Amino acid sequence: MLKRKPRLILTREEPPAPPAKRSENRKRNRVILRYALLTVLIIDSGLALALGYLFFLHLPYLNLHHVDVIGNRHLSRSEIVEAAEVEQGTNLLTVDLRAITTNLKRHPWIGSAAVYRRFPGQLIIEVEERTPRAILAADKLHYVDQQAEFFTRLLPGDRVDLPLFTGVKPEELQSNGSEIREMIRTGLNLLELMERTGSEMNPNAVAEIRLDLDEGLSLCTRDGRLVVLGKKDLEGKIQRYGRLKKFLSQRGEWTSARIINLDFEDRAVVRWDKARLQG
């Protein structure tokens, strides 16, 4: 038998990588390892923070135990806490201060509000209430604040010793609200002017201020007079009222003047009561 010759197997050996390429591979491996370690550290830190947060959530030290209210005059503390919608025992870390502020501003008596945390276990609510400056009668009675905004209806027991604005229909509050507010601002400024200048028209003698979207403002006095002012130059008309009062008083006719129309540039129209006409 013939013996087979062993096969010759040829292999191709790769030449060794140059030193520069080996250095680049080592550098890449180090970068990969660094990022892997950093990823592990981030994951561990996140887990630690999550566990720490869960720990603090259940820590009685941080639970809400007391709510302090600052700045309230009309509203009671309990009414403000109820409007804030906060619950005793809630963890302070989970309290949404912005949501509480929004809840408070929905209350008609609260103009602005701020809420603060104070550890341990305390929430501070600081409010600025609206200040009633007048009353608007439009089917129902509404309080008017310093910006001439009619913000809430009067309830039994509420104070009524404020300037009264009348003549407004309920539907006009919706259709002409901005114009009515401007007329109220004008009326309030007029009352302040009377008090500041010592006018013959005493603001305390004004029983009501009638508003008319077409005709303007009229004053009803407590002794039964109606003084028509209109819309323009109200300060000048109040001065003319003082001169007219002195003139009619000298003639002994002032007590009989019932309607005084000053809505003219250069004159006043006076209507007398029935006793004066028959006299």
Side-chain angles (χ1 to χ4, degrees):
M1 295 181 62
L2 297 176
K3 292 184 178 180
R4 294 181 179 179
K5 294 181 178 181
R7 287 183 180 179
L8 181 61
I9 300 176
L10 300 178
T11 60
R12 183 179 178 181
E13 294 182 0
E14 296 290 337
K21 190 170 183 179
R22 288 198 300 271
S23 176
E24 182 180 347
N25 290 338
R26 286 195 297 270
K27 187 181 295 184
R28 185 176 64 251
N29 292 337
R30 285 197 297 270
V31 171
I32 293 173
L33 181 61
R34 186 181 300 117
Y35 277 109
L37 291 174
L38 183 61
T39 302
V40 171
L41 288 175
I42 291 174
I43 293 174
D44 287 345
S45 299
L47 290 174
L49 288 174
L51 291 174
Y53 181 72
L54 291 174
F55 171 77
F56 281 110
L57 283 183
H58 295 85
L59 194 65
Y61 176 81
L62 297 177
N63 289 347
L64 176 61
H65 299 296
H66 186 71
V67 178
D68 278 339
V69 177
I70 302 172
N72 58 313
R73 298 184 308 275
H74 176 82
L75 297 176
S76 66
R77 175 188 173 279
S78 60
E79 288 175 317
I80 293 177
V81 172
E82 182 179 357
E85 298 182 10
V86 293
E87 296 182 1
Q88 294 279 49
T90 303
N91 190 285
L92 279 180
L93 295 177
T94 65
V95 171
D96 189 339
L97 301 183
R98 183 176 298 178
I100 294 175
T101 303
T102 301
N103 293 338
L104 290 168
K105 289 182 178 179
R106 291 195 187 105
H107 196 286
W109 274 94
I110 298 177
S112 63
V115 186
Y116 312 96
R117 297 183 183 93
R118 179 177 290 175
F119 296 97
Q122 188 178 9
L123 201 65
I124 300 174
I125 297 177
E126 186 173 358
V127 298
E128 183 177 352
E129 295 182 355
R130 298 179 190 268
T131 302
R133 287 285 309 282
I135 297 172
L136 173 66
D139 187 26
K140 305 293 184 180
L141 297 179
H142 304 262
Y143 272 137
V144 179
D145 67 7
Q146 53 268 41
Q147 280 77 41
E149 298 283 346
F150 26 93
F151 63 93
T152 188
R153 287 172 51 184
L154 270 74
L155 298 175
D158 285 342
R159 61 174 295 197
V160 294
D161 57 333
L162 294 168
L164 176 65
F165 289 85
T166 63
V168 177
K169 300 175 182 177
E171 57 271 18
E172 291 176 335
L173 293 180
Q174 300 296 327
S175 59
N176 301 91
S178 60
E179 187 174 355
I180 291 171
R181 284 190 290 271
E182 184 60 33
M183 293 179 72
I184 292 175
R185 276 192 287 268
T186 300
L188 291 174
N189 291 337
L190 186 62
L191 293 175
E192 290 180 357
L193 174 68
M194 294 175 189
E195 186 172 5
R196 187 172 64 251
T197 60
S199 168
E200 288 290 338
M201 172 67 77
N202 187 337
N204 295 324
V206 177
E208 63 182 84
I209 301 176
R210 291 184 186 174
L211 306 179
D212 189 292
L213 294 174
D214 297 321
E215 302 297 332
L217 276 65
S218 298
L219 306 179
C220 299
T221 64
R222 299 190 186 280
D223 58 1
R225 287 186 180 85
L226 175 65
V227 182
V228 180
L229 298 177
K231 292 184 175 182
K232 299 179 180 179
D233 190 25
L234 301 187
E235 182 176 354
K237 291 172 182 176
I238 288 297
Q239 294 174 357
R240 197 189 313 163
Y241 169 88
R243 295 193 297 269
L244 178 64
K245 180 179 179 180
K246 290 180 180 179
F247 174 75
L248 293 179
S249 296
Q250 291 171 357
R251 299 181 55 175
E253 297 178 340
W254 174 249
T255 57
S256 300
R258 293 296 95 190
I259 300 177
I260 302 172
N261 193 338
L262 298 170
D263 195 16
F264 300 96
E265 292 184 1
D266 56 355
R267 65 186 186 276
V269 175
V270 180
R271 294 185 181 181
W272 317 98
D273 59 15
K274 292 182 181 181
R276 168 66 171 77
L277 292 175
Q278 292 173 359

